[in-house]
């Protein structure tokens, strides 16, 4: 009994209380609480400094229910660290909001005319004085009314955007069409948002010059130069798919529909047109004032340790850099400090590289640097201007679990170094002091929805150079770009990344605005890393996508190497392997993945209560990828074709089965899916063929379901043959016409195929060469089945005799040889 008593004494803990009814002069007990978290942390720090025996079992800081307005960030420093036996916990007893916002009151309906206000807004707009903050008008880019983000007044309503007419890189100007009801002359403070491939840019307009039916816009520096000099992403000009989309914002001339606001800094007034459901006399209107709400700041030699935050809501952070310096992102929301196209391409690490860029990292509501064994659990990150939670550098063994991320302008979570501001983004990061690397952090069971709703090129979860990260059982929806982005650097060179695991996440309703996108996206070499058992579905039809088909469920981008990508459920196998490095293994991905994996992905049962926070899905529709078969043919110089071992390894790295690869003489054929064409057109170059031909012109198809009215067998195998049509173009047309009308005029042919148990017969054409695919039940032989086509069916013999005059052998066949058989690799 005495030993238990001693243990109890050693494990004693201190409880510190914070309440809106408290006073920072109080002791911090439940009966006499403190008023601020700042003071509670200081009290805890002093107890640790004095090595007070009362804290042997830890310190718990309880925050009681309420809205706590912050005027400066809460900061936790190395001196605030706990230990494994004596951790520091910051706990909300009920709903606690730490807000960086200012509540705006004093609203009155606007009386009389206001110059430049649209006629339709007269009598409907309300006005109040701009709040005073730090001795001047509060500047902000977001406004929330009753918890809903209002719209900064813009020239197109709803989701509508215009299309630029041109972009002049030399003059650094953009031409846009004029709108008949809006005068753009002499507007001060106007901004332009432009949609570019996988990122947007926010550009401050310097002046507008009217030129006929168009307006020429010039922009402020530094964004003007960077926007015009960098090549990726850049303004898109295309007659086929349309030029880059844009909209203008921040002018009283644009305030023309309910839910829009405009801040007139010159006259110190804020205007808002309330929605029908809103009454500004009793509405809660909040504007953000500070960028960071909480900072955990350690050093490389003295990190912050053993601090946890539980159940707190972080709300109303601001981010003003776009208003002061513009915002031209490179990727995943990281903005370019400098960027340009190389006159002579190539660097030591990458011979084909044509651009250089240096990036900065956007502000976050909560940021953590040099910390280990910290955690955020059951917290809410809402109504935030930029990133929600950012574990920036030197983090280890931290946990982000069971949180809600909702209504966030940028990424929900960023973690790990991307590029230091002084380092060019394509240079591999591998510091000599490994403590810089974010290692063995875990992100699990978080619900992420309606994030990236301002910076459309940000991501749900973005990880840079990380080691041993686990991203597990998160659900991500309603994001403008990719769900999870893992990696940085665009390089297959060895770097800091390895041993990463992305598993059992559920990602859906993504790609709301931007393409060149995937549910899960990777970059660079990451040895012993895994992407497994995720479920990815429902990518939006983005209305202004530059390349409407350039979207994917899984996307291993430049340098991605040594990944295992296995058992991920997707509706189709629409994946991209772009300029990958070696050692990737693709296996068993797609719609045939087991139902158990599909049901297990996403939030585990104890966290599914978060799903009640789901946001409404857009009505713009979901992409459905049509899966068609295609054939690739690789032609080699004699004796230069790759070995079977090389081909088998290629199959593993490119989401192919070895049975999809066939050989004959100096030719190799891949029978694959149209969904893999974009990827294979790049990766097949690695096999060094002298010619690569794509057969996607399917001009004839017999199927058992359609032509025999029978269900096909569960498993079949394919026989691949090739021949040429004769050179006579008239005879080629006759041949095509015969096949066009065969089912109608020669029904006996289909009958013969049905008798022979053919499951499918397809003929592709490239120039005059034909590829014939005959699908038969697995385990059977074509030599046994083919005679059944003519059994009691003389019309088939007649057809075959007619076809002979149109066909001849391909290059390399014998004199009497026409159709040649490609054999599958062993």
């Amino acid at each position: 009994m005495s030993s238990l008593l001693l243990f109890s004494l050693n494990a004693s803990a201190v409880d510190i209380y914070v309440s809106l009814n408290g006073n920072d002069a109080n002791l911090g007990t439940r009966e006499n609480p403190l008023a601020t978290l700042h003071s509670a942390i200081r009290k805890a720090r002093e107890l640790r400094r004095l090595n007070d025996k009362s804290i042997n079992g830890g310190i718990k800081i309880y925050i009681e229910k309420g809205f706590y307005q912050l005027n400066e960030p809460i900061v936790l420093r190395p001196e605030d660290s706990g230990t494994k036996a004596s951790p520091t916990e910051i706990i909300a007893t009920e709903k606690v909001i730490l807000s960086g916002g200012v509540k705006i009151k004093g609203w009155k309906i606007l009386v009389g005319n206001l110059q430049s206000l649209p006629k339709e807004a007269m009598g409907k707009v309300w006005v109040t004085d701009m709040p005073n903050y730090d001795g001047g008008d509060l500047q902000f880019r977001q406004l929330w009314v009753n918890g809903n983000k209002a719209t900064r007044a813009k020239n197109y309503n709803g989701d509508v955007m215009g299309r630029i007419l041109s972009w002049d890189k030399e003059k650094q100007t953009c031409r846009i069409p004029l709108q008949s009801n809006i005068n753009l002359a002499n507007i001060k403070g106007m901004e332009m948002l432009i949609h570019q491939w996988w990122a947007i840019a926010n550009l401050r307009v310097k002046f507008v010059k009217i030129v006929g039916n168009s307006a020429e816009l010039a922009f402020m520096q530094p964004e003007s130069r960077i926007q015009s000099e960098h090549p990726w992403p850049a303004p898109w000009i295309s007659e086929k798919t349309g030029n880059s989309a844009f909209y203008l914002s921040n002018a009283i001339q644009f305030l023309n529909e309910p839910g829009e606001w405009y801040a007139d800094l010159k006259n110190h007034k804020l205007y808002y047109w309330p929605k029908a459901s809103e009454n500004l006399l009793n509405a809660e209107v909040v504007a953000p004032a500070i960028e960071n709400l909480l900072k955990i700041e350690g050093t490389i030699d003295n990190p912050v340790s053993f601090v946890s935050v539980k159940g707190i809501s972080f709300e109303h952070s601001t981010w003003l850099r776009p208003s002061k310096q513009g915002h031209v992102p490179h990727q995943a929301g990281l903005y370019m400090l400098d960027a340009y196209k190389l006159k002579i391409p190539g660097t030591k690490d990458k011979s084909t590289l044509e651009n250089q860029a240096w990036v900065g990292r956007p502000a976050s509501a909560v940021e953590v640097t040099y910390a280990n064994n910290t955690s955020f659990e059951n917290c809410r990150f809402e109504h935030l201007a930029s990133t929600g939670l950012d574990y920036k550098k030197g983090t280890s063994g931290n946990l982000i679990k069971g949180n809600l991320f909702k209504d966030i302008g940028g990424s929900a979570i960023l973690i790990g170094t991307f590029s230091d501001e002084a380092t060019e983004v394509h240079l591999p990061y591998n510091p000599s002091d490994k403590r810089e690397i974010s290692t063995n952090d875990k992100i699990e069971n978080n619900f992420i929805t309606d994030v990236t709703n301002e910076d459309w090129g940000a991501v749900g979860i973005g990880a840079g150079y990380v080691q041993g990260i686990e991203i597990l059982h998160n659900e991500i929806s309603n994001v403008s770009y990719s769900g999870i982005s893992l990696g940085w650097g665009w390089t297959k060179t060895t770097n800091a990344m390895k041993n990463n695991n992305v598993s059992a996440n559920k990602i859906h309703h993504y790609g709301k605005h931007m393409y060149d996108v995937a549910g899960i996206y990777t970059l660079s070499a990451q040895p012993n890393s895994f992407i497994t058992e995720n479920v990815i579905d429902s990518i939006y039809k983005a209305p202004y996508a530059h390349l409407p088909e350039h979207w994917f469920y899984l996307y291993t981008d430049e340098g991605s190497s040594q990944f295992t990508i296995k058992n991920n459920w997707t509706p189709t196998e629409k994946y991209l392997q772009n300029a990958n490095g070696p050692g990737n293994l693709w296996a068993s991905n797609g719609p045939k993945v087991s139902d158990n994996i599909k049901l297990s992905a996403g939030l585990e049962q104890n966290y599914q209560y978060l799903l009640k926070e789901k946001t409404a899905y857009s009505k713009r529709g979901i992409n459905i990828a049509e899966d068609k078969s295609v054939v690739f043919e690789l032609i080699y110089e004699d004796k230069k074709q790759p070995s079977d071992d090389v081909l088998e390894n290629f199959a593993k790295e490119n989401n192919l089965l070895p049975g999809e690869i066939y050989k004959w003489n100096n030719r190799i054929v891949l029978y694959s899916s149209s969904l893999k064409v974009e990827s294979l057109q790049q990766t097949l170059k690695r096999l060094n063929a002298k010619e690569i031909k794509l057969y996607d012109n399917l001009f004839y198809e017999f199927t058992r379901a359609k032509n025999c009215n029978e269900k096909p067998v569960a498993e079949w195998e394919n026989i691949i043959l090739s021949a040429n049509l004769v050179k006579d173009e008239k005879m080629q047309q006759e041949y095509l016409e015969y096949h066009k009308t065969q089912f109608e005029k020669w029904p006996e042919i289909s009958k013969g195929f049905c008798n022979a148990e053919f499951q499918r017969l397809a003929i592709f054409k490239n120039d005059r060469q034909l590829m014939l695919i005959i699908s038969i039940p697995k385990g059977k032989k074509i030599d046994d089945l083919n005679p059944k086509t003519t059994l009691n069916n003389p019309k088939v013999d007649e057809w075959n005799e007619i076809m002979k005059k149109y066909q001849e052998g391909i290059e390399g066949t014998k004199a009497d040889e026409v159709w040649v058989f490609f054999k599958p690799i062993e």
Side-chain angles (χ1 to χ4, degrees), residues 556-573:
T556 50
D557 203 3
E558 295 193 41
S560 292
S561 311
Q562 301 178 68
F563 278 97
T564 296
I565 302 163
K566 187 175 182 180
N567 292 333
N568 298 284
W569 188 94
T570 59
T572 59
E573 295 180 53

CSV table of all heavy atoms in Angstrom, one decimal, residues 556-573:
chain,number,residue,atom,x,y,z
A,556,THR,N,1.6,9.9,-59.8
A,556,THR,CA,3.0,10.0,-59.3
A,556,THR,C,3.8,10.9,-60.3
A,556,THR,O,4.0,10.5,-61.5
A,556,THR,CB,3.6,8.6,-59.3
A,556,THR,OG1,3.3,7.9,-60.5
A,556,THR,CG2,3.0,7.8,-58.1
A,557,ASP,N,4.1,12.0,-59.9
A,557,ASP,CA,4.7,13.0,-60.8
A,557,ASP,C,6.3,13.0,-60.7
A,557,ASP,O,6.8,12.1,-60.1
A,557,ASP,CB,4.2,14.4,-60.4
A,557,ASP,CG,4.3,15.4,-61.6
A,557,ASP,OD1,4.7,15.0,-62.7
A,557,ASP,OD2,3.9,16.6,-61.4
A,558,GLU,N,6.9,14.0,-61.2
A,558,GLU,CA,8.3,13.9,-61.6
A,558,GLU,C,9.2,13.4,-60.4
A,558,GLU,O,9.2,13.9,-59.3
A,558,GLU,CB,8.7,15.4,-61.9
A,558,GLU,CG,8.1,15.8,-63.2
A,558,GLU,CD,8.7,17.1,-63.8
A,558,GLU,OE1,10.0,17.2,-63.7
A,558,GLU,OE2,8.0,18.0,-64.2
A,559,GLY,N,10.0,12.4,-60.8
A,559,GLY,CA,11.0,11.8,-59.9
A,559,GLY,C,10.4,10.8,-58.9
A,559,GLY,O,11.2,10.2,-58.2
A,560,SER,N,9.1,10.7,-58.9
A,560,SER,CA,8.5,9.7,-57.9
A,560,SER,C,9.1,8.4,-58.1
A,560,SER,O,9.1,7.8,-59.2
A,560,SER,CB,7.0,9.6,-58.1
A,560,SER,OG,6.3,10.9,-57.8
A,561,SER,N,9.7,7.8,-57.0
A,561,SER,CA,10.5,6.6,-57.1
A,561,SER,C,10.3,5.8,-55.8
A,561,SER,O,10.1,6.3,-54.7
A,561,SER,CB,12.0,6.9,-57.2
A,561,SER,OG,12.2,7.9,-58.2
A,562,GLN,N,10.4,4.4,-56.0
A,562,GLN,CA,10.4,3.5,-54.9
A,562,GLN,C,9.2,3.5,-54.0
A,562,GLN,O,9.3,3.4,-52.8
A,562,GLN,CB,11.7,3.7,-54.1
A,562,GLN,CG,12.9,3.5,-55.0
A,562,GLN,CD,14.2,3.7,-54.3
A,562,GLN,OE1,14.6,2.9,-53.4
A,562,GLN,NE2,15.0,4.8,-54.6
A,563,PHE,N,8.0,3.7,-54.7
A,563,PHE,CA,6.7,3.7,-54.0
A,563,PHE,C,6.1,2.3,-54.3
A,563,PHE,O,6.3,1.7,-55.3
A,563,PHE,CB,5.8,4.7,-54.6
A,563,PHE,CG,5.9,6.1,-54.0
A,563,PHE,CD1,6.6,7.0,-54.7
A,563,PHE,CD2,5.3,6.4,-52.8
A,563,PHE,CE1,6.7,8.3,-54.2
A,563,PHE,CE2,5.4,7.7,-52.3
A,563,PHE,CZ,6.1,8.7,-53.0
A,564,THR,N,5.4,1.8,-53.3
A,564,THR,CA,4.4,0.7,-53.5
A,564,THR,C,3.0,1.3,-53.5
A,564,THR,O,2.6,1.9,-52.5
A,564,THR,CB,4.5,-0.4,-52.4
A,564,THR,OG1,5.8,-1.0,-52.5
A,564,THR,CG2,3.5,-1.4,-52.6
A,565,ILE,N,2.3,1.1,-54.6
A,565,ILE,CA,1.0,1.7,-54.8
A,565,ILE,C,0.0,0.5,-55.0
A,565,ILE,O,0.0,-0.1,-56.1
A,565,ILE,CB,1.0,2.7,-56.0
A,565,ILE,CG1,2.0,3.8,-55.7
A,565,ILE,CG2,-0.4,3.3,-56.1
A,565,ILE,CD1,2.4,4.6,-56.9
A,566,LYS,N,-0.7,0.2,-54.0
A,566,LYS,CA,-1.4,-1.1,-54.0
A,566,LYS,C,-2.8,-1.1,-53.3
A,566,LYS,O,-2.9,-0.4,-52.3
A,566,LYS,CB,-0.5,-2.1,-53.3
A,566,LYS,CG,-1.0,-3.6,-53.4
A,566,LYS,CD,0.1,-4.5,-52.7
A,566,LYS,CE,-0.3,-5.9,-52.8
A,566,LYS,NZ,0.7,-6.8,-52.2
A,567,ASN,N,-3.7,-1.8,-53.9
A,567,ASN,CA,-5.0,-2.0,-53.3
A,567,ASN,C,-5.8,-0.7,-53.0
A,567,ASN,O,-6.5,-0.5,-52.0
A,567,ASN,CB,-4.9,-2.8,-52.0
A,567,ASN,CG,-4.5,-4.2,-52.2
A,567,ASN,OD1,-4.7,-4.8,-53.3
A,567,ASN,ND2,-3.8,-4.8,-51.3
A,568,ASN,N,-5.6,0.3,-53.9
A,568,ASN,CA,-6.4,1.5,-53.8
A,568,ASN,C,-7.6,1.4,-54.7
A,568,ASN,O,-7.5,1.1,-55.9
A,568,ASN,CB,-5.5,2.7,-54.3
A,568,ASN,CG,-4.3,2.9,-53.4
A,568,ASN,OD1,-4.4,3.4,-52.3
A,568,ASN,ND2,-3.1,2.5,-53.9
A,569,TRP,N,-8.8,1.7,-54.1
A,569,TRP,CA,-10.0,1.6,-54.8
A,569,TRP,C,-10.3,2.9,-55.6
A,569,TRP,O,-10.3,4.0,-55.0
A,569,TRP,CB,-11.2,1.3,-53.9
A,569,TRP,CG,-12.5,1.1,-54.7
A,569,TRP,CD1,-13.0,-0.1,-55.1
A,569,TRP,CD2,-13.4,2.0,-55.2
A,569,TRP,NE1,-14.1,0.0,-55.9
A,569,TRP,CE2,-14.4,1.4,-56.0
A,569,TRP,CE3,-13.5,3.4,-55.2
A,569,TRP,CZ2,-15.5,2.0,-56.6
A,569,TRP,CZ3,-14.5,4.1,-55.8
A,569,TRP,CH2,-15.5,3.4,-56.5
A,570,THR,N,-10.5,2.8,-56.9
A,570,THR,CA,-10.9,4.0,-57.7
A,570,THR,C,-11.9,3.5,-58.7
A,570,THR,O,-11.9,2.3,-59.1
A,570,THR,CB,-9.7,4.6,-58.4
A,570,THR,OG1,-9.1,3.6,-59.3
A,570,THR,CG2,-8.7,5.2,-57.4
A,571,PRO,N,-12.8,4.3,-59.2
A,571,PRO,CA,-13.9,3.8,-60.1
A,571,PRO,C,-13.3,3.2,-61.4
A,571,PRO,O,-13.8,2.3,-62.0
A,571,PRO,CB,-14.7,5.1,-60.4
A,571,PRO,CG,-14.4,6.0,-59.3
A,571,PRO,CD,-13.0,5.7,-58.9
A,572,THR,N,-12.2,3.8,-61.9
A,572,THR,CA,-11.4,3.3,-63.0
A,572,THR,C,-9.9,3.5,-62.8
A,572,THR,O,-9.6,4.2,-61.8
A,572,THR,CB,-11.8,4.1,-64.3
A,572,THR,OG1,-11.5,5.4,-64.2
A,572,THR,CG2,-13.3,3.9,-64.7
A,573,GLU,N,-9.1,2.9,-63.6
A,573,GLU,CA,-7.7,3.0,-63.5
A,573,GLU,C,-7.1,4.3,-64.2
A,573,GLU,O,-6.3,4.2,-65.0
A,573,GLU,CB,-7.0,1.8,-63.9
A,573,GLU,CG,-7.4,0.5,-63.1
A,573,GLU,CD,-6.7,-0.7,-63.6
A,573,GLU,OE1,-5.4,-0.7,-63.7
A,573,GLU,OE2,-7.4,-1.7,-63.8
